């Protein structure tokens, strides 16, 4: 398992281009090594066969010329013969002749015959010759024993060295490796060109993917010049981009239509709230005030205690109704928001909620000395209003705080409570019925280019962050 992981790690260290070049270079060297080994074996075998074949011919020639010299016991001429043979043959390392009884007659060794060489390769009657091989300090030596006068005149021994053969094989190997290096350089160059051709479409596709990830759906892959699989892949990729661009354009159009309609709905809703609040204040509240005055007149003219008590009860009911209508009118459209701005409206709303719910709500408002655009003020107010209502009605919070600040080119609102909390993702995924208030807050924030972030967890309370750009 570890070996596989190491192989994957090593494989992933290089890019596609390096991998292609590495594979090409490895194949060239592998093929060259096999060819060089095979050529070396064939060349060495051929030269060795030629060496031994030449040795047989030389042994037969020297043995034929030795016959008369041995019969006449001309040892000096025999010595000159084998010395000339050694001198005229580069591969011949030694020559010696033994008589029929195996005694040494002549040799070419200056310091005497090496020990054991005399009996190393004995010739047996009936054999045309005998061949044995041994390794010396110089290298491999082939000893050929060739009979003179079918053994009656003695045996001729030749020692053939492979030194010149080894030198020739080494020279051949160097030339072959030089050729291999040149071929490898050519192969690497071709592999580099091929790798560029293969990786260029991949690089174009990667670049296009990065551009698309960055939102540049107009980007296209310039692979029209290819007619292979990469060309077809590029065409399919561009076709996909066309579809994505059309879908994105349609999505943006629908989003703009939705935003426009949502804005009109919210504007109409605010206008309707404003109208209802004005009617409640101007008509219903005035009617209740008139009713209260009439009840006061009846109470003054009534002599019955029971009637006076009932009139007082009706007056109290009318007064409570009038106060509730005023509060409802303010919640529908706070006059402070229109007259004084967002900071004053939020401050008054927090104080009213604190008094109504019987809980101390902490608040901090800063940087809102001037007025903000009307659309931003009403949307920020409604989001704060919804967040406070959620904290009071659903979170069962003991401590609630509101922070509203204008920071340079941004409006920041933070509404925090220590209530029971909830799982935000699960609530959103549950559908619009479960997250209707959250969705409404999110939609309102998006209408003015703002962001709404809700952080909550069961038992950990809830924090709502509203950020609206002002620039």
């Amino acid at each position: 398992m570890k070996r596989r992981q190491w192989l994957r790690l090593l494989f992933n260290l290089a890019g596609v281009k390096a991998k292609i070049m590495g594979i090409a270079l490895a194949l060239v060297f592998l093929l060259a090594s096999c060819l060089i080994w095979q050529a070396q074996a064939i060349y060495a075998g051929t030269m060795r066969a030629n060496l031994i074949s030449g040795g047989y011919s030389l042994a037969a020639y020297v043995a034929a010329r030795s016959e008369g010299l041995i019969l006449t016991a001309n040892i000096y001429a025999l010595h000159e013969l084998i010395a000339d043979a050694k001198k005229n043959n580069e591969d011949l390392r030694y020559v010696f002749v033994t008589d029929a009884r195996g005694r040494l007659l002549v040799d070419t060794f200056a310091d005497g015959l090496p020990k054991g060489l005399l009996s190393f390769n004995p010739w047996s009657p009936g054999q045309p010759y005998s061949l044995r091989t041994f390794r010396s300090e110089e290298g491999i030596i082939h000893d050929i024993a060739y009979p003179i006068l079918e053994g009656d005149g003695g045996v001729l021994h030749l020692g053939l060295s492979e030194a010149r053969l080894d030198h020739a094989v080494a020279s051949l190997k160097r030339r072959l490796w030089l050729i291999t290096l040149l071929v490898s350089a050519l192969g690497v160059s071709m592999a580099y060109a091929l790798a560029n051709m293969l990786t260029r479409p991949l690089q174009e596709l990667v670049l296009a993917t990065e551009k698309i990830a960055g939102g540049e759906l107009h980007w296209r892959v310039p692979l029209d010049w290819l007619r292979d699989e990469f060309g077809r892949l590029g065409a399919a990729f561009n076709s996909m981009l066309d579809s994505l661009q059309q879908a994105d354009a349609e999505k943006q159009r629908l989003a703009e239509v939705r935003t426009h309609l949502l804005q009109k709905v919210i504007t109409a809703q605010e206008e309707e709230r404003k109208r209802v609040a004005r009617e409640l204040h101007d008509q219903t509240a005035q009617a209740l005030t008139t009713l209260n005055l009439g009840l006061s007149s009846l109470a003054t003219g009534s002599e019955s205690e029971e009637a006076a008590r009932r009139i007082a009860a009706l007056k109290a009911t009318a007064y409570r109704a009038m106060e509730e209508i005023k509060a409802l009118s303010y919640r529908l459209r706070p006059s402070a928001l229109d007259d004084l701005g967002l900071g004053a409206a939020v401050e008054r709303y927090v104080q009213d909620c604190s008094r109504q719910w019987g809980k101390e709500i902490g608040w901090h408002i800063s940087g809102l000395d001037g007025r903000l655009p009307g659309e931003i003020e009403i949307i920020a107010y409604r989001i704060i209003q919804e967040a406070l209502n959620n904290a009071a009605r659903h979170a069962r919070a003991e401590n609630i705080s509101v922070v509203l600040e204008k920071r340079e080119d941004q409006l920041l609102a933070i509404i925090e409570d220590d209530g029971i909390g909830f799982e935000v993702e699960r609530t959103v995924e549950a559908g619009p019925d479960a997250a209707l208030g959250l969705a409404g807050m999110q939609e309102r924030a998006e209408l003015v280019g703002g962001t709404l972030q809700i952080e909550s967890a069961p038992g950990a309370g809830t924090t709502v962050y509203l950020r609206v750009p002002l620039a």
Side-chain angles (χ1 to χ4, degrees):
M1 187 66 182
K2 292 183 178 180
R3 182 180 178 184
R4 184 179 298 177
Q5 291 177 348
W6 275 108
L7 289 175
R8 289 179 179 176
L9 179 61
L10 291 175
F11 188 76
N12 290 326
L13 288 177
V16 175
K17 187 183 298 185
K19 291 173 185 174
I20 293 175
M21 294 175 61
I23 291 173
L25 190 61
L27 288 176
V28 168
F29 269 97
L30 180 62
L31 180 60
S33 300
C34 294
L35 292 176
I36 290 174
W37 176 80
Q38 188 71 17
Q40 176 184 345
I42 294 174
Y43 183 68
T46 302
M47 289 194 66
R48 186 175 293 109
N50 291 336
L51 176 67
I52 295 173
S53 176
Y56 291 153
S57 299
L58 180 60
Y61 171 76
V62 174
R65 292 193 59 186
S66 300
E67 292 176 356
L69 299 176
I70 291 175
L71 292 175
T72 60
N74 192 348
I75 300 302
Y76 177 77
L78 182 61
H79 185 272
E80 289 295 319
L81 175 65
I82 63 174
D84 288 341
K86 180 177 180 296
K87 180 179 179 182
N88 295 323
N89 195 307
E90 296 181 11
D91 298 323
L92 195 59
R93 290 294 176 268
Y94 63 83
V95 182
F96 67 90
V97 180
T98 60
D99 61 13
R101 295 181 180 181
R103 292 174 296 184
L104 181 65
L105 293 178
V106 292
D107 66 78
T108 57
F109 291 102
D111 299 328
L113 192 70
K115 184 179 180 180
L117 185 59
L118 184 64
S119 59
F120 174 71
N121 185 21
W123 173 81
S124 300
Q127 293 180 336
Y129 55 84
S130 177
L131 174 66
R132 290 194 68 184
T133 302
F134 66 91
R135 182 177 291 277
S136 68
E137 294 179 356
E138 183 183 7
I140 295 177
I141 303 294
H142 299 283
D143 187 276
I144 299 176
Y146 199 91
I148 302 173
L149 294 174
E150 297 183 355
D152 294 335
V155 178
L156 173 70
H157 287 266
L158 302 179
L160 299 172
S161 173
E162 287 192 1
R164 199 162 63 94
L165 182 150
D166 292 339
H167 179 74
V169 170
S171 178
L172 174 66
K173 185 186 290 187
R174 286 193 297 271
R175 290 195 301 271
L176 290 176
W177 274 115
L178 179 60
I179 294 173
T180 299
L181 290 176
L182 294 176
V183 172
S184 298
L186 179 61
V188 168
S189 300
M190 296 178 64
Y192 182 79
L194 178 62
N196 278 333
M197 292 179 62
L198 292 177
T199 56
R200 181 182 171 187
L202 295 178
Q203 292 171 349
E204 293 289 351
L205 289 170
V206 171
L207 178 61
T209 304
E210 292 174 350
K211 294 292 185 179
I212 294 167
E216 300 182 34
L217 295 180
H218 63 278
W219 195 270
R220 293 296 180 270
V221 181
L223 297 179
D224 299 339
W225 55 279
L226 290 174
R227 294 294 181 267
D228 56 5
E229 289 81 359
F230 283 115
R232 292 194 292 272
L233 178 60
F237 196 85
N238 289 336
S239 177
M240 180 192 69
L241 290 181
D242 292 338
S243 300
L244 283 176
Q245 191 172 18
Q246 292 176 3
D248 184 68
E250 181 65 16
K251 179 181 177 182
Q252 290 182 0
R253 187 187 68 81
L254 293 175
E256 291 175 358
V257 171
R258 176 181 175 275
T259 301
H260 178 69
L261 293 177
L262 183 61
Q263 191 170 15
K264 290 183 69 175
V265 168
I266 291 178
T267 302
Q269 185 183 54
E270 291 298 329
E271 291 296 328
E272 183 64 16
R273 286 183 173 184
K274 190 175 182 179
R275 184 188 65 80
V276 172
R278 185 171 55 250
E279 290 183 357
L280 287 175
H281 182 272
D282 295 343
Q283 297 180 15
T284 308
Q286 291 295 330
L288 288 174
T289 301
T290 302
L291 175 61
N292 201 11
L293 292 174
L295 291 173
S296 297
S297 299
L298 288 176
T300 304
S302 176
E303 298 179 357
S304 170
E305 294 182 1
E306 180 64 21
R309 185 180 61 79
R310 291 185 178 181
I311 291 173
L314 289 174
K315 285 180 63 179
T317 301
Y319 180 78
R320 286 196 303 271
M322 185 171 59
E323 291 298 319
E324 290 177 0
I325 286 175
K326 288 181 179 180
L328 177 60
S329 174
Y330 184 81
R331 287 195 297 271
L332 286 173
R333 184 70 180 194
S335 58
L337 185 63
D338 295 324
D339 300 335
L340 303 176
L342 178 62
V346 170
E347 179 180 348
R348 180 174 174 180
Y349 183 72
V350 169
Q351 292 172 350
D352 290 344
C353 291
S354 179
R355 183 172 57 255
Q356 180 181 352
W357 299 333
K359 296 179 180 180
E360 187 66 27
I361 300 176
W363 55 272
H364 172 76
I365 299 174
S366 65
L368 291 173
D369 299 330
R371 296 297 300 266
L372 299 178
E375 186 179 33
I376 293 178
E377 286 189 338
I378 187 62
I379 285 179
Y381 181 84
R382 293 303 183 196
I383 291 175
I384 295 172
Q385 186 182 46
E386 180 69 22
L388 283 175
N389 287 333
N390 289 338
R393 295 176 183 176
H394 307 299
R396 299 197 290 274
E398 293 297 328
N399 297 290
I400 305 173
S401 64
V402 177
V403 175
L404 182 62
E405 295 181 353
K406 179 187 176 184
R407 298 179 179 177
E408 296 180 355
D409 58 350
Q410 177 179 258
L411 177 67
L412 173 64
I414 304 174
I415 304 92
E416 186 175 11
D417 68 69
D418 62 352
I420 59 175
F422 64 98
E423 294 185 11
V424 180
E425 292 185 2
R426 180 175 295 181
T427 302
V428 172
E429 292 173 356
D433 293 338
L436 184 59
L438 302 182
M441 294 164 66
Q442 185 71 47
E443 290 175 346
R444 287 179 181 272
E446 291 176 355
L447 280 178
V448 290
T451 59
L452 186 76
Q453 180 182 356
I454 301 175
E455 295 180 359
S456 184
T462 302
T463 304
V464 178
Y465 297 91
L466 171 65
R467 295 178 177 87
V468 180
L470 300 177

